[in-house]
Amino acid sequence: MSEVYSASVTAPVNIATLKYWGKRDTKLNLPTNSSISVTLDQAHLRTLTTVSTGPQYLASKLYLNGHEETLNKPRLVAVLMTLKELRKEVEAKDPTLPKFSDWNLLIVSENNFPTAAGLASSAAGLAAFVTAIAKLYQLPQSFSEISKIARQGSGSACRSLFGGFVAWEMGELADGSDSKAVEVAPKSHWPDIKAAILVVSADKKDTSSTSGMQITVNTSDLFQYRIKEVVPKRFVDMKDAILKKDFNAFADMTIKDSNSFHAVCLDSTPPIFYMNDTSKSIIKLVNLINDQSIANGEGLIAAYTYDAGPNAVIYYEAKNEVKILSTLYKYFGELPGWEALDDALLAGVKSVEGPIIGEDAFAASDFDVSRLILTGIGEGPQDTDVSLIDEKGEPKFLTA
Amino acid sequence: MSEVYSASVTAPVNIATLKYWGKRDTKLNLPTNSSISVTLDQAHLRTLTTVSTGPQYLASKLYLNGHEETLNKPRLVAVLMTLKELRKEVEAKDPTLPKFSDWNLLIVSENNFPTAAGLASSAAGLAAFVTAIAKLYQLPQSFSEISKIARQGSGSACRSLFGGFVAWEMGELADGSDSKAVEVAPKSHWPDIKAAILVVSADKKDTSSTSGMQITVNTSDLFQYRIKEVVPKRFVDMKDAILKKDFNAFADMTIKDSNSFHAVCLDSTPPIFYMNDTSKSIIKLVNLINDQSIANGEGLIAAYTYDAGPNAVIYYEAKNEVKILSTLYKYFGELPGWEALDDALLAGVKSVEGPIIGEDAFAASDFDVSRLILTGIGEGPQDTDVSLIDEKGEPKFLTA
């Protein structure tokens, strides 16, 4: 019988409301500015990762969604080395522990959403990767400490170490030891935050975020002002809005920061475009929703944000869910995704008579959207009993 | 027999290479930053305006492209008042002159290009309007002085008072008396500058430039950095590149400034989008052309710029005309506009074998372009014998 030790966790996707764009140190993934994100519900978007170790593994291996992937990437090598170093410290303190640090690892990982959709899967993936190994290794470090390791694998992954509202503090030190994720507020502080993701049809993006952000760092004049003047103030103000549950201020800054991020992309040489004409039409739709709520004295009730791709994420509060979703239903009612709503809510959404905004505001061709993901704020990484590795230490793929 | 005095001029379109975006005084049309433009050839784009005056006109009237338009707009009223004041000074010095300043005006104006195309027709129109009246009134003021009056009618119109390369110096004074156009270099300095305009199919723009620029002034964080840090340096450097006929530097700054202008539009609340997916594909095409010329050690050979709309203007030098136009011909050969080339050049453009850039770089659907305008650098306002008003003082429409 083989000796197999394993651990399984799930980790969430996070979508920034104050964007990470630019590294001051590309090797350590140290950012040029602090950022803030909302962690999304793992019921809809999560990575499940099982790791196992044992003396019988002849080499370390990684499987993602049923396919073997190389572990021989500098960032992954660095992450694994750091985790093994920490395990060695644990083993040094308690010599009775098995010598995991000498053994190879089998890592099996699956997403519960299509990776092709461009939904920040690398953040959830790296967070699950690091958290699962940390759990297997029984590391005593806090999640903020573990977030620094995840950060080295994929910058924004560090924010997936927490649920609710998360800040990635850029830090100042050259070794990155103060560049880590911290909780701004747990999900329980403001559980009513919902998110509608409109998955926009698109070819693969022209510019990866890794190369795109360094093009911006190296060529955009406006970028320097963004990181020095705009973001530091917004970082303080956005945390304040979250703590006060001031949705109007939160939405205003979320929208402005998305625009600012895409503006510095456009100010780069060559210019980087992540939004397309559909993205712009969705912005217009959200603006019309807000124009009406502002006219009603309610302030902003929907906040769009776009990462390095054309997909829209729209944050809103549960109290406005029927209002917002019934508007989206007029334009996107035929698309997959509505089945995520419970029957009563879906009936409510469908029952709203007439369009909330002008019938002629859009043409059908304005929206090239393939599906919706209706979700909300969620918790950080979770332990799970579901394992992707069987008792013999072999991968078992749930969704291959 | 009626007593009719008339004068006719033509005035050119200008396309900025350093963009005007933002007013510090909306009444006087005083800009937040200096700008630079290239005046385009009137053979392809110009406004012809005839003005006449005489005691028999019972009211002042304006006809644009065969349709009567109101003169009762604050900007036009201000422009006309200023011109009449200057005429009064002329009359005071020479009492034998007819008292034009007491009489009404008939103004008849026609463009030689479709106004709907969004081709900065207001600049040419206002420049022709002011220049024709100044000529009728025999005003002694220099073109720079006259440009201040045109500026009050439509900011960028002041740059259409000169040919070649033109700077609009923002000035510092509150009354705008130092905010005027000056010649950077005449057409004869660098006559080889060509321009290909790709007219992009689009619905009417959502945001007029007049309101758009004030949205940016009032809401964009990055805008303040643009006007205080980015543009002042670029204003000096671009004039220098023009004087040195350094196309690489001129193109680099022209491209960067177009991007910077659209970036601050995107950084506005609500964000303003003037470029669409076709505009972005044309940027990619120009970048591919330049990538190849850079690889050949030639530096940048094409410079795109976009005004407040999706149309692309591509500047290049005559020596690269066959190279650039043959690439455009691959994608836009079926469109109207090529007839502007002489037969030998068109044969040369058609004879280039194979695509200059990869066959698979674009899909047909990437380009929704309706026509090309192939033109080049041109002269400032010109006197003309063609009149749009007959001997009886009645409008005669050439193209109504």
Side-chain angles (χ1 to χ4, degrees), chain A residues 19 63 85 95 116 118 153 178 181 198 211 225 247 273 301 325 341 348 379 383 389:
Chain A
K19 299 298 188 190
Y63 292 88
E85 288 300 319
D178 58 350
L198 306 188
S211 67
Y225 190 74
F247 190 84
F273 298 97
I301 64 170
L325 292 188
L341 300 187
E379 303 287 1
D383 289 342
I389 297 174

PDB file of all heavy atoms in Angstrom, chain A residues 19 63 85 95 116 118 153 178 181 198 211 225 247 273 301 325 341 348 379 383 389:
ATOM      1  N   LYS A  19      -8.151  48.842  -9.481  1.00  0.00           N
ATOM      2  CA  LYS A  19      -7.429  47.886 -10.319  1.00  0.00           C
ATOM      3  C   LYS A  19      -5.931  47.805 -10.028  1.00  0.00           C
ATOM      4  O   LYS A  19      -5.272  48.823  -9.793  1.00  0.00           O
ATOM      5  CB  LYS A  19      -7.603  48.264 -11.799  1.00  0.00           C
ATOM      6  CG  LYS A  19      -9.046  48.244 -12.293  1.00  0.00           C
ATOM      7  CD  LYS A  19      -9.680  46.861 -12.214  1.00  0.00           C
ATOM      8  CE  LYS A  19     -11.042  46.830 -12.897  1.00  0.00           C
ATOM      9  NZ  LYS A  19     -11.767  45.573 -12.633  1.00  0.00           N
ATOM     10  N   TYR A  63      -2.242  18.864 -12.982  1.00  0.00           N
ATOM     11  CA  TYR A  63      -3.341  18.700 -13.939  1.00  0.00           C
ATOM     12  C   TYR A  63      -4.349  19.834 -13.743  1.00  0.00           C
ATOM     13  O   TYR A  63      -4.796  20.087 -12.621  1.00  0.00           O
ATOM     14  CB  TYR A  63      -4.059  17.353 -13.741  1.00  0.00           C
ATOM     15  CG  TYR A  63      -3.198  16.167 -14.122  1.00  0.00           C
ATOM     16  CD1 TYR A  63      -2.338  15.583 -13.184  1.00  0.00           C
ATOM     17  CD2 TYR A  63      -3.247  15.630 -15.403  1.00  0.00           C
ATOM     18  CE1 TYR A  63      -1.548  14.498 -13.525  1.00  0.00           C
ATOM     19  CE2 TYR A  63      -2.454  14.549 -15.758  1.00  0.00           C
ATOM     20  CZ  TYR A  63      -1.612  13.979 -14.816  1.00  0.00           C
ATOM     21  OH  TYR A  63      -0.827  12.919 -15.166  1.00  0.00           O
ATOM     22  N   GLU A  85      10.249  25.377   1.641  1.00  0.00           N
ATOM     23  CA  GLU A  85      11.101  25.956   2.691  1.00  0.00           C
ATOM     24  C   GLU A  85      10.324  26.080   4.005  1.00  0.00           C
ATOM     25  O   GLU A  85      10.835  25.769   5.082  1.00  0.00           O
ATOM     26  CB  GLU A  85      11.607  27.344   2.272  1.00  0.00           C
ATOM     27  CG  GLU A  85      12.657  27.331   1.183  1.00  0.00           C
ATOM     28  CD  GLU A  85      13.909  26.561   1.576  1.00  0.00           C
ATOM     29  OE1 GLU A  85      14.350  26.683   2.735  1.00  0.00           O
ATOM     30  OE2 GLU A  85      14.415  25.796   0.724  1.00  0.00           O
ATOM     31  N   PRO A  95      10.311  16.708  14.546  1.00  0.00           N
ATOM     32  CA  PRO A  95      10.970  15.675  13.724  1.00  0.00           C
ATOM     33  C   PRO A  95      10.119  14.433  13.512  1.00  0.00           C
ATOM     34  O   PRO A  95      10.469  13.586  12.686  1.00  0.00           O
ATOM     35  CB  PRO A  95      12.237  15.346  14.529  1.00  0.00           C
ATOM     36  CG  PRO A  95      12.429  16.520  15.445  1.00  0.00           C
ATOM     37  CD  PRO A  95      11.062  17.000  15.775  1.00  0.00           C
ATOM     38  N   ALA A 116     -12.142  29.422 -20.718  1.00  0.00           N
ATOM     39  CA  ALA A 116     -12.021  30.251 -21.924  1.00  0.00           C
ATOM     40  C   ALA A 116     -12.743  31.579 -21.786  1.00  0.00           C
ATOM     41  O   ALA A 116     -12.509  32.504 -22.541  1.00  0.00           O
ATOM     42  CB  ALA A 116     -12.571  29.500 -23.131  1.00  0.00           C
ATOM     43  N   GLY A 118     -12.392  33.929 -19.864  1.00  0.00           N
ATOM     44  CA  GLY A 118     -11.591  35.084 -19.460  1.00  0.00           C
ATOM     45  C   GLY A 118     -12.035  35.670 -18.140  1.00  0.00           C
ATOM     46  O   GLY A 118     -12.202  36.867 -17.986  1.00  0.00           O
ATOM     47  N   GLY A 153       3.026  33.955  -7.520  1.00  0.00           N
ATOM     48  CA  GLY A 153       2.569  33.120  -8.630  1.00  0.00           C
ATOM     49  C   GLY A 153       1.732  33.896  -9.628  1.00  0.00           C
ATOM     50  O   GLY A 153       1.884  33.767 -10.837  1.00  0.00           O
ATOM     51  N   ASP A 178       6.195  43.124   2.604  1.00  0.00           N
ATOM     52  CA  ASP A 178       5.020  43.855   3.095  1.00  0.00           C
ATOM     53  C   ASP A 178       3.974  44.044   1.982  1.00  0.00           C
ATOM     54  O   ASP A 178       3.070  44.861   2.122  1.00  0.00           O
ATOM     55  CB  ASP A 178       5.427  45.211   3.690  1.00  0.00           C
ATOM     56  CG  ASP A 178       6.173  46.093   2.697  1.00  0.00           C
ATOM     57  OD1 ASP A 178       6.549  45.579   1.616  1.00  0.00           O
ATOM     58  OD2 ASP A 178       6.371  47.281   2.989  1.00  0.00           O
ATOM     59  N   ALA A 181      -2.116  40.619   0.897  1.00  0.00           N
ATOM     60  CA  ALA A 181      -3.559  40.844   0.956  1.00  0.00           C
ATOM     61  C   ALA A 181      -4.029  40.912   2.407  1.00  0.00           C
ATOM     62  O   ALA A 181      -3.513  40.195   3.270  1.00  0.00           O
ATOM     63  CB  ALA A 181      -4.291  39.722   0.229  1.00  0.00           C
ATOM     64  N   LEU A 198     -21.442  39.690 -17.450  1.00  0.00           N
ATOM     65  CA  LEU A 198     -21.872  39.503 -18.830  1.00  0.00           C
ATOM     66  C   LEU A 198     -20.651  39.047 -19.619  1.00  0.00           C
ATOM     67  O   LEU A 198     -19.691  39.813 -19.783  1.00  0.00           O
ATOM     68  CB  LEU A 198     -22.436  40.795 -19.403  1.00  0.00           C
ATOM     69  CG  LEU A 198     -23.569  41.460 -18.607  1.00  0.00           C
ATOM     70  CD1 LEU A 198     -24.163  42.627 -19.397  1.00  0.00           C
ATOM     71  CD2 LEU A 198     -24.670  40.457 -18.268  1.00  0.00           C
ATOM     72  N   SER A 211       2.055  41.183 -20.087  1.00  0.00           N
ATOM     73  CA  SER A 211       2.850  42.066 -20.947  1.00  0.00           C
ATOM     74  C   SER A 211       2.192  43.432 -21.049  1.00  0.00           C
ATOM     75  O   SER A 211       2.866  44.453 -21.078  1.00  0.00           O
ATOM     76  CB  SER A 211       3.050  41.446 -22.324  1.00  0.00           C
ATOM     77  OG  SER A 211       1.834  41.372 -23.022  1.00  0.00           O
ATOM     78  N   TYR A 225       0.702  59.484 -13.176  1.00  0.00           N
ATOM     79  CA  TYR A 225      -0.231  60.273 -12.369  1.00  0.00           C
ATOM     80  C   TYR A 225      -1.258  59.366 -11.694  1.00  0.00           C
ATOM     81  O   TYR A 225      -1.614  59.559 -10.533  1.00  0.00           O
ATOM     82  CB  TYR A 225      -0.920  61.308 -13.256  1.00  0.00           C
ATOM     83  CG  TYR A 225      -1.730  62.322 -12.503  1.00  0.00           C
ATOM     84  CD1 TYR A 225      -1.116  63.343 -11.792  1.00  0.00           C
ATOM     85  CD2 TYR A 225      -3.124  62.255 -12.494  1.00  0.00           C
ATOM     86  CE1 TYR A 225      -1.858  64.279 -11.097  1.00  0.00           C
ATOM     87  CE2 TYR A 225      -3.875  63.194 -11.805  1.00  0.00           C
ATOM     88  CZ  TYR A 225      -3.235  64.206 -11.107  1.00  0.00           C
ATOM     89  OH  TYR A 225      -3.985  65.122 -10.419  1.00  0.00           O
ATOM     90  N   PHE A 247     -23.017  52.532  -0.970  1.00  0.00           N
ATOM     91  CA  PHE A 247     -22.951  51.971  -2.325  1.00  0.00           C
ATOM     92  C   PHE A 247     -22.725  53.049  -3.372  1.00  0.00           C
ATOM     93  O   PHE A 247     -22.004  52.832  -4.357  1.00  0.00           O
ATOM     94  CB  PHE A 247     -24.208  51.157  -2.677  1.00  0.00           C
ATOM     95  CG  PHE A 247     -24.013  50.389  -3.963  1.00  0.00           C
ATOM     96  CD1 PHE A 247     -23.377  49.156  -3.966  1.00  0.00           C
ATOM     97  CD2 PHE A 247     -24.405  50.925  -5.189  1.00  0.00           C
ATOM     98  CE1 PHE A 247     -23.144  48.465  -5.147  1.00  0.00           C
ATOM     99  CE2 PHE A 247     -24.174  50.232  -6.387  1.00  0.00           C
ATOM    100  CZ  PHE A 247     -23.543  49.009  -6.356  1.00  0.00           C
ATOM    101  N   PHE A 273      -6.316  47.846 -26.002  1.00  0.00           N
ATOM    102  CA  PHE A 273      -7.769  47.923 -25.908  1.00  0.00           C
ATOM    103  C   PHE A 273      -8.283  46.604 -25.357  1.00  0.00           C
ATOM    104  O   PHE A 273      -8.096  45.562 -25.981  1.00  0.00           O
ATOM    105  CB  PHE A 273      -8.396  48.148 -27.283  1.00  0.00           C
ATOM    106  CG  PHE A 273      -7.991  49.428 -27.950  1.00  0.00           C
ATOM    107  CD1 PHE A 273      -6.968  49.447 -28.884  1.00  0.00           C
ATOM    108  CD2 PHE A 273      -8.643  50.619 -27.659  1.00  0.00           C
ATOM    109  CE1 PHE A 273      -6.600  50.627 -29.516  1.00  0.00           C
ATOM    110  CE2 PHE A 273      -8.286  51.800 -28.291  1.00  0.00           C
ATOM    111  CZ  PHE A 273      -7.256  51.806 -29.219  1.00  0.00           C
ATOM    112  N   ILE A 301     -26.914  52.858  -8.511  1.00  0.00           N
ATOM    113  CA  ILE A 301     -27.330  51.544  -8.008  1.00  0.00           C
ATOM    114  C   ILE A 301     -26.618  50.402  -8.720  1.00  0.00           C
ATOM    115  O   ILE A 301     -26.806  49.247  -8.359  1.00  0.00           O
ATOM    116  CB  ILE A 301     -28.867  51.350  -8.101  1.00  0.00           C
ATOM    117  CG1 ILE A 301     -29.336  51.371  -9.563  1.00  0.00           C
ATOM    118  CG2 ILE A 301     -29.604  52.396  -7.266  1.00  0.00           C
ATOM    119  CD1 ILE A 301     -30.804  50.953  -9.731  1.00  0.00           C
ATOM    120  N   LEU A 325     -31.904  43.373 -12.668  1.00  0.00           N
ATOM    121  CA  LEU A 325     -31.973  42.161 -13.489  1.00  0.00           C
ATOM    122  C   LEU A 325     -33.119  42.210 -14.484  1.00  0.00           C
ATOM    123  O   LEU A 325     -33.025  41.642 -15.574  1.00  0.00           O
ATOM    124  CB  LEU A 325     -32.073  40.919 -12.601  1.00  0.00           C
ATOM    125  CG  LEU A 325     -30.823  40.609 -11.770  1.00  0.00           C
ATOM    126  CD1 LEU A 325     -30.976  39.255 -11.077  1.00  0.00           C
ATOM    127  CD2 LEU A 325     -29.551  40.630 -12.616  1.00  0.00           C
ATOM    128  N   LEU A 341     -30.875  31.822 -10.789  1.00  0.00           N
ATOM    129  CA  LEU A 341     -31.794  32.504  -9.868  1.00  0.00           C
ATOM    130  C   LEU A 341     -32.815  31.522  -9.323  1.00  0.00           C
ATOM    131  O   LEU A 341     -33.230  30.591 -10.007  1.00  0.00           O
ATOM    132  CB  LEU A 341     -32.544  33.622 -10.601  1.00  0.00           C
ATOM    133  CG  LEU A 341     -31.715  34.744 -11.217  1.00  0.00           C
ATOM    134  CD1 LEU A 341     -32.640  35.838 -11.740  1.00  0.00           C
ATOM    135  CD2 LEU A 341     -30.731  35.319 -10.210  1.00  0.00           C
ATOM    136  N   GLY A 348     -40.099  37.252 -10.458  1.00  0.00           N
ATOM    137  CA  GLY A 348     -40.147  38.694 -10.198  1.00  0.00           C
ATOM    138  C   GLY A 348     -39.459  39.488 -11.294  1.00  0.00           C
ATOM    139  O   GLY A 348     -39.964  40.515 -11.759  1.00  0.00           O
ATOM    140  N   GLU A 379     -17.101  33.937   0.126  1.00  0.00           N
ATOM    141  CA  GLU A 379     -16.106  33.662   1.175  1.00  0.00           C
ATOM    142  C   GLU A 379     -14.752  33.335   0.548  1.00  0.00           C
ATOM    143  O   GLU A 379     -14.645  33.037  -0.635  1.00  0.00           O
ATOM    144  CB  GLU A 379     -16.570  32.464   2.016  1.00  0.00           C
ATOM    145  CG  GLU A 379     -17.943  32.630   2.650  1.00  0.00           C
ATOM    146  CD  GLU A 379     -17.944  33.604   3.823  1.00  0.00           C
ATOM    147  OE1 GLU A 379     -16.886  34.184   4.144  1.00  0.00           O
ATOM    148  OE2 GLU A 379     -19.030  33.792   4.419  1.00  0.00           O
ATOM    149  N   ASP A 383     -11.945  24.647   3.005  1.00  0.00           N
ATOM    150  CA  ASP A 383     -11.604  23.217   3.016  1.00  0.00           C
ATOM    151  C   ASP A 383     -12.756  22.436   2.389  1.00  0.00           C
ATOM    152  O   ASP A 383     -13.910  22.847   2.464  1.00  0.00           O
ATOM    153  CB  ASP A 383     -11.425  22.734   4.456  1.00  0.00           C
ATOM    154  CG  ASP A 383     -10.153  23.307   5.073  1.00  0.00           C
ATOM    155  OD1 ASP A 383      -9.269  23.764   4.315  1.00  0.00           O
ATOM    156  OD2 ASP A 383     -10.063  23.312   6.308  1.00  0.00           O
ATOM    157  N   ILE A 389      -8.039  13.370  -6.142  1.00  0.00           N
ATOM    158  CA  ILE A 389      -7.002  12.333  -6.167  1.00  0.00           C
ATOM    159  C   ILE A 389      -7.547  11.135  -5.392  1.00  0.00           C
ATOM    160  O   ILE A 389      -8.080  11.290  -4.291  1.00  0.00           O
ATOM    161  CB  ILE A 389      -5.689  12.854  -5.541  1.00  0.00           C
ATOM    162  CG1 ILE A 389      -5.140  14.029  -6.378  1.00  0.00           C
ATOM    163  CG2 ILE A 389      -4.656  11.743  -5.424  1.00  0.00           C
ATOM    164  CD1 ILE A 389      -3.928  14.729  -5.799  1.00  0.00           C
TER     165      ILE A 389
END
